[in-house]
Amino acid sequence: MACKFRPPMGRQLFVVLVLDVLITSTVLAAKVRNDLRNRVAVNEDLLGPTSRADLRALGKVGLLKRDASLKEEISQLKGEMKKMRDINSDDVAKQEAILKERTDKFPEPPPLRTEAELKMKSNISKIEFKTHQVHSDITGNLEVAELARVELAKLTNEATTCMNQQGCKTALERLAGMSLAQLAQPLDGLDELPHVSEDRIARMVSDLGTGLAQSEKTHAELVADAQANEAAEVERLVREVEALEEERDELEKTQSQEYALFRQKRKRLTYQTRTAARTLYAKRLEATRAEAFAAQRERSLARQMRSAQALYEQQASNLANVKQQIKTYTNTMDEMVALIKNCGCRDKKDPLPAWTPPVITTTSTTETTTTTTTTTVTTSTILLPIYTETTTTSTSTTTTPTMSTTTTSSTVLIKGFIEYERQQCTGSDPDMLTNFKGGVEDCKEKCLSTNCSGFVYLNSGPHKGTCTMRSGELSLSDVDWIQDNRDCWMRDYGDVQTTTVPPLPGTAVYNSWDVNMKNKTLGGADIEIYEATNKTDVRVMESVCQYTDGDHPSKFVNHMWCYPGAYIGQSNVKGKDDPDGMTGPVFDLVAYPPESAASSIVFRFRIPESGSYSVDLFSASRPAGGTGMTEVSLSAKDAGNGAPLIPMTTLYNVTEQDLATTTNGKNTLHGNISLRAGGFIYISMHNDGDGRQNDETVLRFRIFSSSFTTTTTTLITTTTSYCNCTSVCTVNEEPVRAPPATASCTTSSCNAQCSGYGCGFRCVASSCATNCSGDRCGYQCNGTQCASSCDGEECGLSCSGRFCAKQCSGGKCGFQCDSYACAGNCSGSECASGCSNNECGKYCQGYRCAYGCTGLGCAEGCVGDECGHGCRGEGCARGCVGINCAGNCTGTNCDANTQNVSVTTSTTTRETVSDLALVCGCHCAAGAQEAGVAYVNGVSMDNGAAAQCDKEGATMGTLSSTASICSTSPSCSALFDFNCDDISWRNCKSTMRQLAQGHPINSTLTEGCVRMKQTGWTLHSVTQVGASFQLQSTVRTPALAAFSDVQSISVKAGEVTKNKRFGLTTDPNDNYKFSHGRYLKLLPGGVLELPGGHKRAYTDDDVITLRLEGHRFVAYKNSMIFSPTWDSFENGTKIPNRGLNMTAKLWFYESGSSMEVVDACTNIDGTYSVQNNSLDVSQTRCQVNFTHQGAQWKGTVSGNSLIVPGLSNATVSADGVRFTDGTSWVPIR
């Protein structure tokens, strides 16, 4: 029996020590590994597998444990991943099911006309046709009746001379008396046939385990094999552990990626589900409105059909009366003839001929779908049985377009207005005029003079006795109006009659459809077609185009200029309408824009003789549909090299629009501009920055001219002060520009802050003409910082001296300056263009700013299409933003980090507009002051408050639509958004304090949002559009919205493509420069400019805030604070003390620009003494939080009013907060 070897105790102790060392090293290695993994989680730079040396340090036992641990970890990881996949898959499936359920609920789009409407319209047409036929029969029968009357009169005269027989005498007297009585009767039946017109009605998203396997070997075997086997096994385990670690890390990475993909997919599905919910709500609302409109149209058609039937019956009765009269005449004449014959009143040799009524001819014309007109002449038996012959003759004539020497005029028969009592109606286009004072008849007269579509007259509320003029297609509210007492008055358009009239003496007409493309003539005038490199200055011709006579390979166009690429040609398919009511369908022009949104395709009409020119029928249609957009502009230029371009109008988003005709109500007259021979009229088109796929656009226009005699006018200079605001604000024409009296100064800072045309020009001194205002102020100045911060067209032009024209504002300001950093941070089209020297035009903003500059770093960081284009110098135009910015640049890194994205910068932003009132700081807009309201954030509360609004008769809709209703209702106090998702807003009569009663603010239920109606805003040339303020038309001075007693103003930009600014000032009379405050600029392209020229990005969803906090102005984007802050006003004066009362001002410079005020308030954050206790109040924007008597309170500051639900109203002042119940908060300084 073999005995097992047992090592002596010393060796056992040795093994135990070895085990202890191995275990200790294993534990240490585990700690190292865990530390490493922890550090990996913190610092991604340490990411990677455990080193091979660390693994060998574990030894065999440790590696086996590590191996088993990793396998278990991998198995658990795979199980977790499978479970996570299943959960995620179920989650996604549920989201997709919800999304599908919502999309499946989308109602079918309502038909344009219901079956009942179509049936009633058909019946009306039939009745009208019968009515017209009867009317035609009446006309013919009346002619016959008149002939019968004449004939009967003759017989009566003849019979009265025949009295030779007593019986004849008695019969003749009876018939003669009857005849005279019949002749005295009036003829009935011919009434004016009124036109029965159809109502115009339109139209809604680790463990490590330890263990050791010992083999029972002899001591010799243990010593002999230990090292070799241990090393091999350890090495194998090392590689296996490495592989397992790699597999685990890969699984963790996959798990992370899958989770990220799941989150992304779930986020997308959530967005789609929310979007679907909004869409479903909108479609249901649209369907409901469509049903209501259809019912309304059906009711209207029913009334119309009843009226048509009554008219037909009346006409039929009239016809029967006329026929009866004719029959009576005929019978009487038959008796008269017989008596005359029997009584011997005539010689038998001269018999009396029997009277036969003439044949009645009626003509009816029907228009078919082709250009053929069929005329049918029908002769029929209408009066007496003796008329038995019926003949029918048909002739066909074809109408072809011909040149005509006559013109057409469209006359609309205004029948007046249709009144809809206690109804609200809205127009598809912006309102033309608001709060016009007067009676209903005054409003009618004003509506007719402004060519509005109708008006809303207010019979109650603060605007009682005023009306608002609507434009575009009008639609009535689908529910009875209960917000106030108002009536809707819609224009009633009768027949549209087209009459042909001879042309006025000296009048010429040029129709776009009569163009001779090959010979480049239109009528007797020359035309030119070319591409323009600047869409806003179409005078600049990029290249001469070639003519292509044949058809386009894939479009219905021929006779093209500039093809291939952009082109203008003529359609080879006639349109479906008649432009002037006499020509018939025509071949309209077709245009295709250049690829670059900065370029245009231009049709230029050369003025053949001096005269007054107008354009009508100006219209365009992009028939392809979809989301693409094109813009078509009309402008003119007088003869002479220095004549400016005169913009006349622009058509935006012409996708699927109807072309204008003289009869469809879409024709508008533009111009009446005096132009000399050699001047031009331009029709230009460009794409809207979204590419030009399917952007073929049909064009139509007609040009009128009336010749006039050119006279010479001499401008007489006057000694009137250039900046006399009374004269500036009342003058209608461009004021006379007197020579500046402050030019060519030579002392330091001379002419600083001067104002007026050319003030400080050619000054030679440091800081001369700084902060000057006026066109060409600081022109050709020479000196360090001369003309810096100037404001006006071409101010600081061609200046010399370091930093000259820096931060200038205005078109071509700092143009061709020549010095270090000249015109840096300039703002305006072509500002710093052509400048020469290092860093000139750096950080400029505007179309083509620093264009073609020369110097190290010139145009660096510029913003604007083609800014820095063609620059020369190292790093020039680096980091620019805009289409083709840094194009054709020369120099190292000249185009590094550029962003070739469209930046919509107007060539005439406010800073580029030369306006005398702005130069002089005159407030001309004050005469157009109107009251406005803002809708500022209140505290949130649970959704139960919606029921309170519903009980008060609230209507639901978008923020804009409900705000529009609330603005016109004096009883409306707030807006409430259920779920705070910006979907279902309600207009509420209850105040925020009243809504909070019973609907706790700190509720765990889903919260809704409140917007409070903030009155006290004054508007100057600005229109209230929903919850926003908007400039809707071009004005000579910037438009303004203002609000007093605030220290904080927060706005949302309605769009990021327009130029505007807002700020705070201690002087209510400050102009747009905010000399006694600070302001922020919202520039085109989503550029936010802070004081000092610092630029940041913003979107139209961001809330931008400017606050006075203590002694500093602070700017925020949402909750992020901007750096730096400012402890002084724009004029350099230090902010004197806390608690300043300030005025918030919003300035608008371009038509279509808007801002939405979301907060406007004073600041009350700080510590107060309340009944010998201290109270800490924190404020975020205009929302306040504080703890009082052990309870948490939330409230809102609106202006200088504090509203805290549960407390009485309070007013904020420099002395603290005073409540109406007598409580006061005294600030602790």
Side-chain angles (χ1 to χ4, degrees):
M1 181 175 179
C3 296
K4 293 184 179 179
F5 174 77
R6 289 181 178 272
M9 288 297 296
R11 291 177 180 173
Q12 290 179 355
L13 180 60
F14 172 77
V15 171
V16 171
L17 291 173
V18 169
L19 286 172
D20 186 63
V21 170
L22 285 173
I23 292 171
T24 303
S25 63
T26 300
V27 172
L28 290 174
K31 291 181 178 180
V32 170
R33 177 62 175 162
N34 286 333
D35 290 342
L36 179 61
R37 296 189 66 182
N38 290 334
R39 290 162 63 193
V40 166
V42 176
N43 187 351
E44 294 182 357
D45 296 337
L46 297 177
L47 188 62
T50 308
S51 68
R52 189 166 292 179
D54 291 337
L55 291 175
R56 290 194 182 102
L58 293 176
K60 179 179 177 181
V61 176
L63 288 169
L64 288 170
K65 294 289 186 180
R66 180 62 174 158
D67 183 281
S69 175
L70 284 171
K71 289 179 179 178
E72 181 181 359
E73 187 177 352
I74 289 172
S75 176
Q76 292 177 353
L77 191 55
K78 289 180 177 179
E80 291 174 359
M81 290 176 63
K82 183 180 183 304
K83 183 178 179 180
M84 183 183 72
R85 288 178 184 139
D86 293 341
I87 294 174
N88 293 347
S89 178
D90 292 343
D91 195 328
V92 169
K94 290 179 181 179
Q95 287 287 338
E96 290 175 340
I98 294 173
L99 177 60
K100 185 177 184 304
E101 179 186 2
R102 290 187 177 178
T103 53
D104 288 345
K105 290 181 180 179
F106 286 178
E108 292 295 329
L112 185 62
R113 289 291 184 269
T114 64
E115 185 175 344
E117 287 181 82
L118 295 175
K119 184 176 180 180
M120 283 190 284
K121 288 185 67 176
S122 176
N123 290 337
I124 290 171
S125 298
K126 292 177 182 178
I127 295 171
E128 286 181 335
F129 177 77
K130 291 194 299 182
T131 302
H132 283 282
Q133 287 295 101
V134 171
H135 181 73
S136 178
D137 291 347
I138 291 174
T139 304
N141 280 276
L142 283 172
E143 293 175 358
V144 173
E146 186 62 31
L147 293 174
R149 286 171 60 126
V150 173
E151 190 66 26
L152 182 58
K154 292 179 181 178
L155 289 171
T156 302
N157 290 332
E158 184 174 346
T160 54
T161 62
C162 181
M163 298 291 184
N164 58 348
Q165 296 182 24
Q166 184 62 33
C168 292
K169 181 177 181 181
T170 302
L172 287 172
E173 286 177 349
R174 178 180 61 82
L175 287 176
M178 183 187 300
S179 302
L180 293 173
Q182 289 173 352
L183 292 174
Q185 291 178 2
L187 293 178
D188 299 327
L190 187 59
D191 294 338
E192 180 66 23
L193 184 61
H195 174 72
V196 184
S197 61
E198 181 181 358
D199 286 353
R200 300 185 314 127
I201 301 174
R203 356 206 177 345
M204 227 253 359
V205 171
S206 41
D207 297 7
L208 290 174
T210 59
L212 184 63
Q214 272 184 283
S215 60
E216 295 182 355
K217 294 185 179 181
T218 62
H219 181 262
E221 291 173 336
L222 183 64
V223 174
D225 298 337
Q227 293 181 348
N229 293 338
E230 188 76 16
E233 184 66 14
V234 166
E235 198 63 30
R236 183 188 67 80
L237 288 171
V238 165
R239 283 165 172 74
E240 184 174 338
V241 168
E242 286 180 334
L244 289 170
E245 285 185 337
E246 184 176 350
E247 182 181 359
R248 182 204 60 196
D249 294 342
E250 191 66 31
L251 285 171
E252 288 178 343
K253 181 179 178 181
T254 302
Q255 184 185 36
S256 177
Q257 292 174 344
E258 289 181 353
Y259 184 65
L261 289 174
F262 162 73
R263 285 175 56 87
Q264 183 178 2
K265 186 172 184 179
R266 192 178 188 282
K267 182 178 180 181
R268 183 174 66 252
L269 284 171
T270 301
Y271 174 77
Q272 291 174 346
T273 303
R274 290 177 178 174
T275 303
R278 294 187 181 99
T279 305
L280 176 60
Y281 172 79
K283 286 184 176 292
R284 284 177 173 172
L285 184 61
E286 180 184 357
T288 302
R289 288 177 174 172
E291 290 176 2
F293 290 151
Q296 185 178 7
R297 292 195 301 269
E298 290 174 10
R299 292 193 297 270
S300 175
L301 286 170
R303 291 194 301 269
Q304 183 179 344
M305 189 165 65
R306 289 194 297 269
S307 299
Q309 182 65 31
L311 180 63
Y312 167 72
E313 293 172 356
Q314 177 190 2
Q315 294 298 308
S317 175
N318 290 340
L319 177 60
N321 292 337
V322 174
K323 287 183 176 181
Q324 183 61 41
Q325 287 178 340
I326 295 175
K327 186 176 180 180
T328 302
Y329 288 154
T330 304
N331 293 336
T332 303
M333 284 189 288
D334 288 344
E335 293 183 36
M336 186 77 73
V337 169
L339 282 171
I340 293 174
K341 180 178 179 181
N342 294 331
C343 294
C345 293
R346 274 202 176 206
D347 191 346
K348 294 182 178 180
K349 295 181 180 181
D350 184 20
L352 183 67
W355 182 79
T356 303
V359 177
I360 299 175
T361 302
T362 61
T363 304
S364 60
T365 303
T366 58
E367 185 176 350
T368 65
T369 56
T370 65
T371 58
T372 301
T373 302
T374 302
T375 304
T376 304
V377 181
T378 305
T379 305
S380 59
T381 301
I382 296 180
L383 301 177
L384 300 175
I386 61 174
Y387 304 117
T388 58
E389 297 182 359
T390 302
T391 60
T392 303
T393 306
S394 298
T395 61
S396 296
T397 59
T398 301
T399 305
T400 57
T402 58
M403 292 294 293
S404 176
T405 57
T406 61
T407 62
T408 62
S409 64
S410 177
T411 303
V412 179
L413 301 180
I414 304 300
K415 291 190 174 184
F417 294 82
I418 302 175
E419 181 184 9
Y420 296 89
E421 293 185 2
R422 298 192 65 85
Q423 288 288 312
Q424 162 75 326
C425 56
T426 57
S428 59
D429 296 336
D431 292 339
M432 302 179 66
L433 182 66
T434 58
N435 298 337
F436 176 78
K437 293 184 179 180
V440 172
E441 295 303 320
D442 298 324
C443 294
K444 288 181 180 180
E445 182 178 351
K446 188 66 175 180
C447 184
L448 293 174
S449 66
T450 59
N451 197 27
C452 78
S453 301
F455 61 89
V456 174
Y457 191 81
L458 301 181
N459 301 304
S460 66
H463 299 293
K464 178 181 178 181
T466 66
C467 53
T468 297
M469 305 297 170
R470 307 294 198 206
S471 64
E473 292 292 329
L474 296 191
S475 58
L476 288 171
S477 173
D478 55 347
V479 295
D480 290 338
W481 190 256
I482 61 174
Q483 308 302 322
D484 54 29
N485 187 350
R486 64 174 57 197
D487 301 326
C488 172
W489 292 82
M490 286 190 181
R491 288 275 292 275
D492 181 18
Y493 296 93
D495 294 331
V496 179
Q497 297 183 342
T498 302
T499 58
T500 303
V501 297
L504 296 174
T507 299
V509 182
Y510 305 89
N511 302 313
S512 61
W513 53 90
D514 294 332
V515 66
N516 186 327
M517 297 294 286
K518 186 174 182 178
N519 296 324
K520 294 199 292 188
T521 59
L522 179 57
D526 296 330
I527 65 170
E528 188 67 58
I529 298 172
Y530 58 89
E531 284 191 43
T533 56
N534 186 343
K535 67 183 180 183
T536 54
D537 190 353
V538 295
R539 298 171 294 181
V540 183
M541 186 185 302
E542 182 176 10
S543 60
V544 178
C545 292
Q546 300 297 320
Y547 176 69
T548 302
D549 192 45
D551 292 337
H552 192 286
S554 60
K555 308 295 180 182
F556 298 104
V557 189
N558 56 18
H559 308 317
M560 297 170 288
W561 283 93
C562 303
Y563 179 82
Y567 62 80
I568 292 182
Q570 197 164 19
S571 174
N572 56 20
V573 177
K574 284 187 177 181
K576 298 181 180 180
D577 54 11
D578 183 351
D580 55 9
M582 58 177 285
T583 304
V586 299
F587 297 97
D588 286 302
L589 297 176
V590 179
Y592 186 58
E595 181 70 32
S596 171
S599 300
S600 295
I601 187 76
V602 181
F603 183 104
R604 188 182 71 184
F605 174 87
R606 185 181 182 90
I607 304 300
E609 59 178 328
S610 299
S612 179
Y613 282 80
S614 302
V615 180
D616 76 339
L617 297 180
F618 178 63
S619 53
S621 176
R622 179 184 174 275
T627 59
M629 294 174 62
T630 57
E631 293 182 7
V632 184
S633 298
L634 176 66
S635 54
K637 172 191 171 295
D638 199 5
N641 293 331
L645 189 67
I646 307 169
M648 298 169 69
T649 189
T650 298
L651 306 176
Y652 300 96
N653 189 10
V654 298
T655 297
E656 298 181 309
Q657 297 296 307
D658 293 334
L659 295 177
T661 71
T662 56
T663 60
N664 65 0
K666 295 184 177 293
N667 191 19
T668 303
L669 187 68
H670 307 279
N672 194 21
I673 301 175
S674 298
L675 298 173
R676 293 172 293 175
F680 299 103
I681 293 176
Y682 303 89
I683 293 88
S684 60
M685 189 191 79
H686 65 90
N687 77 66
D688 204 39
D690 57 352
R692 60 174 180 174
Q693 184 178 6
N694 297 326
D695 273 355
E696 294 83 6
T697 300
V698 184
L699 304 178
R700 176 183 294 171
F701 57 87
R702 180 171 62 177
I703 301 174
F704 292 94
S705 75
S706 297
S707 58
F708 66 91
T709 304
T710 305
T711 59
T712 303
T713 303
T714 304
L715 290 179
I716 303 175
T717 11
T718 67
T719 58
T720 304
S721 172
Y722 182 74
C723 277
N724 184 323
C725 286
T726 301
S727 301
V728 168
C729 292
T730 56
V731 71
N732 291 321
E733 307 214 351
E734 186 69 17
V736 177
R737 293 183 169 182
T742 56
S744 303
C745 65
T746 58
T747 59
S748 178
S749 300
C750 62
N751 287 336
Q753 299 184 356
C754 69
S755 62
Y757 175 77
C759 77
F761 82 96
R762 292 180 181 171
C763 64
V764 184
S766 62
S767 300
C768 67
T770 57
N771 290 293
C772 68
S773 299
D775 293 353
R776 288 207 166 192
C777 74
Y779 171 73
Q780 290 185 349
C781 70
N782 188 346
T784 303
Q785 294 190 354
C786 71
S788 60
S789 300
C790 68
D791 188 357
E793 289 276 334
E794 298 183 354
C795 73
L797 186 143
S798 300
C799 68
S800 301
R802 292 169 60 88
F803 307 110
C804 72
K806 183 179 180 181
Q807 296 183 2
C808 68
S809 299
K812 286 191 175 183
C813 76
F815 186 84
Q816 293 184 346
C817 65
D818 184 11
S819 57
Y820 174 76
C822 66
N825 290 96
C826 70
S827 176
S829 297
E830 298 185 83
C831 72
S833 183
C835 68
S836 302
N837 216 308
N838 296 343
E839 298 189 10
C840 71
K842 188 174 181 179
Y843 301 132
C844 70
Q845 187 271 326
Y847 173 74
R848 279 197 171 185
C849 71
Y851 186 94
C853 67
T854 303
L856 179 69
C858 73
E860 179 180 352
C862 68
V863 177
D865 291 350
E866 297 190 24
C867 73
H869 186 282
C871 68
R872 297 181 297 277
E874 181 180 350
C876 72
R878 175 174 51 199
C880 69
V881 179
I883 293 293
N884 208 20
C885 74
N888 297 331
C889 69
T890 304
T892 306
N893 295 327
C894 69
D895 57 356
N897 302 323
T898 60
Q899 299 182 46
N900 190 35
V901 296
S902 177
V903 178
T904 308
T905 53
S906 171
T907 59
T908 54
T909 61
R910 161 56 207 107
E911 281 115 349
T912 72
V913 172
S914 169
D915 191 284
L916 183 60
L918 288 175
V919 168
C920 297
C922 301
H923 302 283
C924 300
Q929 176 174 320
E930 294 182 3
V933 296
Y935 292 90
V936 296
N937 290 320
V939 297
S940 57
M941 59 190 68
D942 76 61
N943 280 329
Q948 177 69 22
C949 300
D950 292 339
K951 292 179 182 178
E952 300 166 352
T955 58
M956 287 192 300
T958 63
L959 174 61
S960 179
S961 64
T962 51
S964 296
I965 296 172
C966 191
S967 298
T968 58
S969 173
S971 61
C972 179
S973 301
L975 306 177
F976 186 81
D977 181 21
F978 190 90
N979 271 355
C980 217
D981 54 7
D982 200 30
I983 296 179
S984 52
W985 285 90
R986 290 167 168 82
N987 51 319
C988 312
K989 294 181 180 179
S990 295
T991 64
M992 184 185 72
R993 184 191 311 281
Q994 293 169 333
L995 289 174
Q997 294 176 359
H999 307 104
I1001 295 174
N1002 295 318
S1003 172
T1004 58
L1005 301 175
T1006 304
E1007 291 185 339
C1009 290
V1010 177
R1011 287 282 194 101
M1012 299 185 300
K1013 185 177 182 180
Q1014 185 182 71
T1015 59
W1017 283 84
T1018 56
L1019 310 181
H1020 307 266
S1021 302
V1022 175
T1023 303
Q1024 180 100 39
V1025 180
S1028 301
F1029 300 132
Q1030 186 178 75
L1031 175 58
Q1032 294 187 337
S1033 59
T1034 303
V1035 293
R1036 295 184 66 244
T1037 60
L1040 167 67
F1043 187 71
S1044 300
D1045 293 334
V1046 294
Q1047 295 171 324
S1048 177
I1049 177 69
S1050 301
V1051 305
K1052 277 186 176 182
E1055 67 292 317
V1056 297
T1057 59
K1058 303 292 184 179
N1059 186 17
K1060 49 208 169 189
R1061 64 178 63 176
F1062 71 96
L1064 299 167
T1065 176
T1066 57
D1067 185 356
N1069 294 318
D1070 257 357
N1071 62 10
Y1072 66 97
K1073 290 190 174 183
F1074 290 86
S1075 298
H1076 301 86
R1078 287 286 182 177
Y1079 66 95
L1080 306 177
K1081 290 183 182 179
L1082 302 176
L1083 301 175
V1087 178
L1088 170 65
E1089 183 174 313
L1090 307 176
H1094 306 280
K1095 291 183 173 64
R1096 303 290 188 269
Y1098 78 95
T1099 69
D1100 54 3
D1101 286 329
D1102 290 328
V1103 176
I1104 312 300
T1105 302
L1106 182 65
R1107 291 184 63 188
L1108 178 63
E1109 298 181 358
H1111 297 273
R1112 306 190 71 86
F1113 283 102
V1114 182
Y1116 296 83
K1117 182 173 77 173
N1118 302 319
S1119 59
M1120 180 181 69
I1121 188 171
F1122 285 126
S1123 180
T1125 58
W1126 309 274
D1127 63 353
S1128 62
F1129 299 136
E1130 288 286 344
N1131 59 14
T1133 304
K1134 293 292 184 180
I1135 299 174
N1137 57 279
R1138 296 170 56 96
L1140 290 173
N1141 284 326
M1142 309 193 80
T1143 298
K1145 289 191 173 186
L1146 284 60
W1147 292 94
F1148 305 82
Y1149 302 110
E1150 298 180 69
S1151 177
S1153 60
S1154 63
M1155 283 183 274
E1156 175 191 342
V1157 176
V1158 297
D1159 283 308
C1161 62
T1162 189
N1163 296 330
I1164 66 168
D1165 53 338
T1167 303
Y1168 294 84
S1169 175
V1170 182
Q1171 297 175 349
N1172 298 323
N1173 295 317
S1174 64
L1175 177 69
D1176 293 325
V1177 178
S1178 63
Q1179 180 173 343
T1180 303
R1181 290 215 300 264
C1182 294
Q1183 309 302 305
V1184 297
N1185 294 272
F1186 58 91
T1187 301
H1188 180 55
Q1189 296 179 348
Q1192 292 288 333
W1193 299 82
K1194 292 183 179 180
T1196 299
V1197 185
S1198 174
N1200 62 350
S1201 298
L1202 172 63
I1203 305 99
V1204 181
L1207 300 180
S1208 63
N1209 290 330
T1211 302
V1212 182
S1213 67
D1215 297 328
V1217 181
R1218 179 176 294 276
F1219 292 82
T1220 56
D1221 63 1
T1223 306
S1224 296
W1225 295 356
V1226 180
I1228 301 176
R1229 306 296 182 184

